[in-house]
């Protein structure tokens, strides 16, 4: 596989309703072919498996849910500087995104150029594969925003 | 002095797992394990096409995704009488082995090692001495003073920057840490090597399963085709890549992981007498060499051991409704026939009945229901599952590869076979298993290449793919072994759709609450007798819990005898 210039990585658990919205956003993007140099990745609940694709990309657009208290569906763009800028794990990965970022430092690499898109959700989430009405609207809008604002072409 | 310690781990889907331990005079006297987040995948699956179930179950857990897909495919194949082609079994075995080797190594370095290795102490190490020790342990080429000095410098910068990150939650300087600074440096250095190496081994999943994370599975076989010339198929180039990944895996396991495990274990032999817990072990087994139906052909054998009697291995039948049953006396569910009954998973019910306090709360009411995990029993016995159970069953059944490696480890550590029944034994069994599985992986690969050379490239059967050919009703069980223990999915198909689907996962066996008779499960049992030198830093409890490899992050709360919380530590 050729190295992607930009990696759009959606993470979350699609069995936990809105918690999986990051994956839903990437799936919406995948409905059209990716622009040249762009890779879409459904990161699901993968953890250390994501280290290599993250290391290989020049720039990462990360999409995840956050329980930050804002109205469900609120989209925010964050340029994270510290691990603490990331949404606190809603239900922690075994080895979370913060640990993956720490791994960059520990392996002596510069942290990647990264933009984080968060979609606010309410907690707790039920076991369902469906998004709530607010997030079902917000997910394709987030995909459209990422396509227009972050990706070439 | 009597204190209650609560460990409250968190994971993406299994949910919070909380352990309350009563500590008296520096020793755990009693323990309670509670899953505090509801599961309900069974409800998501009802009414769906059975052939799609694997894709949902694969996302139940972020760590052992592939094994849930495998168990799901097998449950459907079992229900419909589908036998997959030999190549499909070989590819499934290869993916299984790759999962094991990656997961076990990651567990050791990234979850468990920090219970034994003092990261901060390594800053005092002499890199030249560390290199001498490392070279005496193995021929791993990175064991030179320059490499160790560079790692030490990098970690020093990292620690001095104040962002301990993944190391932030350790009890550095705790007197329970016994390794010399140089051994700590070797271990931390290999922690970083493991981080790099694990990226490669999981490529086996992407090659055979099309993508990562969450590779593709398929009812009736595997979703890949072999054609040595074809660009888009599994061709010669990709197969050569797999061969080199397997070779590197064997090298890493034998030159890094196992030597480190033995070196660390040598300093902690007292842990061969701590954390034994239950005396019963259960393994469903896996790695068929003559088809999934021929359980006698499994390289990891199926069986149960009772009372640590290694002279007798009992047969296990997942379909016998008298063998595996789930109880809910202490779980937040209700059964139609009453909460005191046990139900075989074919008749399993998933009716929620939360009676606990509104979270956050200080202490569980352990006399009543206190967990979202049901309590599985095999012929009414609580059973430990995981690498130790698998290795004991293989050992007792006379598997020569396992016997030889286990014997070698016991001899090297100079401990008797009873040392296996412990926290240290559990951790050592995982290392032995990794080594044996890495070599078996090579064997499966060689078999696959031989088949392809003989023109046998079939990877899927169309038999019963079409739902029109299915009976009106069918039921099946798909049994496998997740890295952390026995895993099975039970499916009932009615009118071509899923009518009932039940998972019994390893954490349910090990982390479940007491059963109707008051018998403890693995975690609750293993913690009893664990020493706790400092109740503010219960590293000893983590050693025993982590030896089971829970797919969980955790938090520790401490309670005084009156139930008042006095201490809380978050763990990742």
């Amino acid at each position: 596989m050729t190295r992607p210039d930009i990696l759009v990585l959606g993470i979350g658990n699609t069995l936990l309703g809105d918690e999986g919205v990051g994956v839903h956003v990437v799936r919406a993007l995948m409905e059209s072919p990716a622009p040249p140099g762009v890779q879409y990745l459904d990161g699901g609940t993968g953890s250390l498996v994501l280290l290599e694709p993250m290391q290989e990309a020049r720039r990462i657009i990360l999409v995840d849910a956050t329980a930050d208290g804002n109205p469900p569906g609120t989209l925010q763009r964050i340029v994270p500087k510290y691990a603490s800028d990331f949404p606190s794990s809603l239900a922690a990965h075994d080895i979370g995104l913060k640990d993956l970022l720490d791994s960059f430092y520990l392996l002596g690499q510069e942290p990647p150029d990264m933009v984080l898109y968060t979609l606010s959700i309410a907690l707790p989430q039920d076991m369902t594969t469906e998004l709530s009405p607010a997030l079902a609207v917000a997910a394709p809008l987030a995909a459209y925003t990422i396509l227009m604002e972050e990706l070439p072409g | 002095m009597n204190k209650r310690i609560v460990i409250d781990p968190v994971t993406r889907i299994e949910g919070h797992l909380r352990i309350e331990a009563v500590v008296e005079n520096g020793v755990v006297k009693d323990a309670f394990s509670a899953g505090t987040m509801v599961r309900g995948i069974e409800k998501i699956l009802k009414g769906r096409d059975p052939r799609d179930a694997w894709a949902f179950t694969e996302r139940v857990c972020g760590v052992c995704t592939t094994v849930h897909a495998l168990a799901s495919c097998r449950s459907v194949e079992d229900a419909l009488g589908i036998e997959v082609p030999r190549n499909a079994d070989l590819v499934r075995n290869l993916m299984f082995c790759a999962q094991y080797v990656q997961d076990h190594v990651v567990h050791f370095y990234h979850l468990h090692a920090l219970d034994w290795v003092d990261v901060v102490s390594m800053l005092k190490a002499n890199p030249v001495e560390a290199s001498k020790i490392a070279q005496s342990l193995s021929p791993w080429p990175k064991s030179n003073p320059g490499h160790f000095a560079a790692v030490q410098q990098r970690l020093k910068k990292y620690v001095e920057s104040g962002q301990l990150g993944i190391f932030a939650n350790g009890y550095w300087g705790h007197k329970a840490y016994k390794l010399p600074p140089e051994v700590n440096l070797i271990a931390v250095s290999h922690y970083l090597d493991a981080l790099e190496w694990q990226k490669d081994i999981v490529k086996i999943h992407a090659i055979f399963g099309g993508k990562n994370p969450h590779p593709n599975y398929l009812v009736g076989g595997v979703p890949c085709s072999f054609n040595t010339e074809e660009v888009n198929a599994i061709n010669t180039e990709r197969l050569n890549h797999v061969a080199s990944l397997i070779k590197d895996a064997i090298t890493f396991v034998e030159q890094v992981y196992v030597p480190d495990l033995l070196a660390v274990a040598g300093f902690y032999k007292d842990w061969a007498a701590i954390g034994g817990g239950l005396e019963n072990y259960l393994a469903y087994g896996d790695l068929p060499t003559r088809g999934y139906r021929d359980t006698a052909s499994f390289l990891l054998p199926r069986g149960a051991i009772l009372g640590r009697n290694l002279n007798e291995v009992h047969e296990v039948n997942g379909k016998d409704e008298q063998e595996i049953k789930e109880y809910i006396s202490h779980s937040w569910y209700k059964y139609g026939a009453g909460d005191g009954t046990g139900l075989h998973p074919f008749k399993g019910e998933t009716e929620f009945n939360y009676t606990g306090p509104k979270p956050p709360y200080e202490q569980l009411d352990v006399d009543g229901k206190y967990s979202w995990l049901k309590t599985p029993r095999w012929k009414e016995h609580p059973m430990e599952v995981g690498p130790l159970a698998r290795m004991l069953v293989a050992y007792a059944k006379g598997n020569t590869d396992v016997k030889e490696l286990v014997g070698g480890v016991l001899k090297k550590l100079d401990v008797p076979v009873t040392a296996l029944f412990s926290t240290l034994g559990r951790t050592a069994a995982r290392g032995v298993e990794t080594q044996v599985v890495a070599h078996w992986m090579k064997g499966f690969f060689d078999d696959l290449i031989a088949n392809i050379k003989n023109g046998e490239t079939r990877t899927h059967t169309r038999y019963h793919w079409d739902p029109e050919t299915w009976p009106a009703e069918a039921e099946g069980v798909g049994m496998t072994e997740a890295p952390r223990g026995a895993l099975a999915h039970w499916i009932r198909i009615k009118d071509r759709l899923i009518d009932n689907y039940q998972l019994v996962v390893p954490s349910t066996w090990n982390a479940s609450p007491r059963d109707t008779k008051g018998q403890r499960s693995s975690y609750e049992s293993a913690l009893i007798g664990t020493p706790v030198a400092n109740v503010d830093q219960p590293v000893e409890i983590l050693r025993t819990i982590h030896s089971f490899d829970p797919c969980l992050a955790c938090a520790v709360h401490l309670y005084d005898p009156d139930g008042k919380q006095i201490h809380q530590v978050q763990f990742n």
Side-chain angles (χ1 to χ4, degrees):
Chain A
M1 196 187 301
T2 50
R3 288 176 58 142
D5 195 38
I6 301 178
L7 173 71
V8 184
L9 174 62
I11 61 164
N13 194 314
T14 49
L15 301 177
L16 270 182
D18 292 346
E19 213 268 338
V21 69
V23 173
H24 288 269
V25 170
V26 167
R27 285 179 180 169
L29 286 166
M30 284 174 174
E31 286 174 15
S32 310
V38 176
Q39 186 195 356
Y40 298 141
L41 183 59
D42 163 5
T45 50
S47 48
L48 275 182
V49 173
L50 301 176
L51 182 57
E52 179 153 50
M54 289 175 73
Q55 281 178 331
E56 290 200 333
R58 180 185 61 82
R59 180 174 170 81
I60 299 170
I61 316 288
L62 189 70
V63 195
D64 196 5
T66 181
D68 60 0
N70 283 314
T74 304
L75 179 69
Q76 293 189 81
R77 182 182 189 275
I78 298 164
V79 180
K81 285 210 167 46
Y82 306 100
S84 57
D85 291 338
F86 286 84
S88 61
S89 292
L90 305 180
H93 303 262
D94 180 48
I95 291 157
L97 270 182
K98 293 180 190 180
D99 299 334
L100 283 177
L101 281 186
D102 281 329
S103 302
F104 278 87
Y105 291 104
L106 287 170
L107 294 173
Q109 294 160 349
E110 286 299 308
D113 173 15
M114 188 180 280
V115 174
L116 172 65
Y117 277 86
T118 61
L119 286 130
S120 304
I121 69 167
L123 283 183
Q125 288 288 319
D126 288 333
M127 261 318 253
T128 168
T129 56
E130 308 291 322
L131 291 176
S132 67
L135 273 296
V137 171
L141 285 176
Y144 182 74
T145 305
I146 290 167
L147 191 62
M148 298 310 285
E149 304 290 329
E150 309 289 347
L151 303 183
Chain B
M1 187 73 192
N2 180 317
K3 289 195 173 176
R4 181 172 286 196
I5 296 176
V6 178
I7 301 185
D8 201 347
V10 183
T11 179
R12 192 119 193 163
I13 184 91
E14 284 289 340
H16 298 238
L17 189 110
R18 172 186 182 105
I19 286 160
E20 300 194 357
V22 179
V23 180
E24 196 176 280
N25 300 324
V27 176
V28 175
K29 286 288 175 200
D30 205 354
F32 303 88
S33 170
T36 57
M37 194 178 129
V38 65
R39 301 200 308 122
I41 179 95
E42 292 87 352
K43 288 177 182 281
I44 284 181
L45 291 171
K46 195 176 161 85
R48 290 188 190 268
D49 186 328
R51 296 169 300 178
D52 295 341
W54 67 266
F56 293 94
T57 64
E58 192 176 40
R59 292 188 188 242
V60 153
C61 172
V63 195
C64 31
T65 69
T66 58
V67 284
H68 279 289
L70 176 61
S72 183
C73 288
R74 278 186 180 156
S75 71
V76 180
E77 289 157 4
D78 185 51
L80 299 172
I82 299 169
E83 288 187 64
V84 305
R86 177 65 190 140
N87 282 347
D89 264 338
L90 287 170
V91 168
R92 288 176 176 186
N93 286 354
L94 284 167
M95 293 181 74
F96 179 101
C97 292
Q99 171 82 42
Y100 263 54
V101 176
Q102 191 255 2
D103 202 75
H104 283 353
V105 169
V106 166
H107 168 264
F108 180 72
Y109 286 102
H110 299 262
L111 180 66
H112 201 26
L114 301 183
D115 299 337
W116 313 99
V117 172
D118 187 332
V119 173
V120 174
S121 144
M122 60 84 89
L123 300 177
K124 292 183 297 206
N126 177 338
V128 177
E129 286 305 310
S131 145
K132 277 186 197 154
I133 295 170
Q135 284 170 14
S136 76
L137 296 173
S138 101
W140 182 242
K142 282 188 178 175
S143 298
N144 58 69
H147 179 68
F148 285 125
V151 168
Q152 194 180 31
Q153 269 309 312
R154 201 188 303 156
L155 264 289
K156 197 168 178 204
K157 257 172 68 184
Y158 185 72
V159 171
E160 281 172 353
S161 73
Q163 44 168 351
L164 269 170
I166 32 183
F167 302 137
N169 297 311
Y171 298 127
W172 315 130
H174 192 296
K175 69 177 181 182
Y177 286 107
K178 293 183 183 163
L179 302 179
E182 285 71 26
V183 178
N184 285 318
L185 175 56
I186 293 168
V188 172
S189 175
H190 291 167
Y191 175 112
L192 301 180
D193 292 344
L195 204 52
E196 285 285 3
W197 164 81
Q198 64 85 30
K199 297 190 309 194
D200 288 329
I201 187 68
V202 292
K203 287 178 183 155
I204 288 180
H205 289 162
I207 290 170
F208 291 117
K211 68 187 183 73
N212 233 343
H214 309 307
N216 293 318
Y217 274 72
L218 180 64
V219 168
V222 287
C224 58
S225 60
F226 295 107
N227 184 331
T228 47
E229 310 295 330
E230 178 68 43
V231 179
N232 291 317
I234 311 273
N235 53 25
T236 307
E237 185 193 347
R238 292 201 172 103
L239 289 170
N240 286 340
H241 189 191
V242 172
S244 80
L245 293 171
I246 293 172
K247 186 164 163 277
D248 291 348
I250 293 173
T251 303
F252 193 87
V253 168
E254 295 193 332
Q255 295 192 5
V256 184
Y257 172 31
V258 170
D260 281 1
L261 172 64
L262 292 173
V264 170
F267 288 91
Y268 290 104
K269 285 203 242 176
D270 47 331
W271 283 83
I274 298 168
L278 295 181
E279 301 188 344
N280 308 323
Y281 304 90
L282 173 68
Y284 296 158
D286 207 311
L287 299 176
T289 57
R290 292 188 304 272
Y292 172 67
R293 288 174 174 205
D294 183 357
T295 52
S297 80
F298 289 9
L299 291 190
L300 286 171
R302 179 175 296 178
I305 290 170
L306 294 176
R308 296 185 181 166
N309 178 6
L310 300 183
N311 296 315
E312 187 176 14
V313 180
H314 302 266
E315 300 232 345
V316 172
N317 180 351
K319 286 183 175 171
D320 183 340
E321 299 195 359
Q322 295 310 309
E323 292 196 13
I324 296 166
K325 291 183 189 173
E326 289 193 294
Y327 291 86
I328 56 156
S329 296
H330 291 285
S331 316
W332 289 308
Y333 297 88
K334 61 182 162 200
Y335 279 169
D339 290 0
T341 51
L343 294 182
H344 183 269
F346 273 146
K347 302 207 161 106
E349 298 173 15
T350 310
E351 194 67 37
F352 303 142
N353 178 29
Y354 186 69
T355 58
K358 188 172 155 51
Y361 44 80
E362 291 214 325
Q363 201 161 328
L364 294 162
D365 174 14
V366 294
D367 293 330
K369 292 177 184 285
Y370 65 91
S371 178
W372 280 114
L373 298 180
K374 296 175 183 173
T375 304
R377 292 290 179 254
W378 181 76
K379 294 189 174 178
E380 312 297 325
H381 299 290
M383 309 297 288
E384 173 174 337
V385 300
L388 177 58
R390 286 191 294 263
M391 290 299 98
L392 288 174
V393 169
Y395 187 91
K397 281 208 157 184
N399 180 297
T400 46
D401 295 337
V402 170
K403 279 199 104 138
E404 191 184 314
L405 281 176
V406 168
V409 167
L410 295 174
K411 193 165 168 228
K412 185 129 190 171
L413 293 174
D414 189 24
V415 291
V417 71
T418 50
L420 291 168
F421 310 124
S422 67
T423 295
L424 192 67
R426 218 169 271 123
T427 298
R430 188 172 291 106
V432 166
E433 181 172 76
T434 312
Q435 195 171 354
V436 78
V437 162
H439 283 282
W440 289 345
M441 179 161 52
K442 173 82 170 63
F444 293 130
F445 180 75
D446 292 343
D447 289 351
L448 180 65
I449 294 298
N451 281 356
I452 294 170
K453 280 190 177 153
N454 289 333
E456 174 54 62
T457 55
R458 225 158 48 97
T459 54
H460 184 249
T461 172
R462 299 286 301 176
Y463 178 74
H464 271 341
W465 175 255
D466 181 358
E468 293 299 320
T469 65
W470 297 357
E473 289 187 43
E475 59 182 23
V477 53
M479 304 176 91
T480 181
E481 288 282 339
R484 43 196 59 71
L487 167 71
H489 293 190
W490 283 262
I491 191 170
R492 284 184 69 98
I493 302 170
K494 196 176 169 188
D495 299 331
R496 302 177 180 92
L497 298 174
I498 295 172
D499 184 49
N500 195 3
Y501 200 103
Q502 297 283 324
L503 287 70
V504 181
V505 306
S507 298
T508 317
W509 284 102
N510 284 338
S512 43
R514 281 156 167 76
D515 63 21
T516 305
K517 295 177 187 166
Q519 298 183 101
R520 296 180 183 91
S521 298
S522 309
Y523 287 10
E524 293 187 346
S525 184
L527 283 175
I528 291 175
T530 295
V532 181
N534 176 357
V535 288
D536 293 332
Q537 300 191 331
V539 65
E540 301 93 338
I541 288 184
L542 293 177
R543 285 177 179 172
T544 292
I545 294 297
H546 284 165
S547 74
F548 286 97
D549 187 11
C551 38
L552 311 159
C554 60
V556 177
H557 307 244
L558 258 81
Y559 290 75
D560 70 11
D562 303 322
K564 189 166 159 246
Q565 183 167 317
I566 54 171
H567 188 67
Q568 172 175 338
V569 193
Q570 293 288 333
F571 276 83
N572 247 340

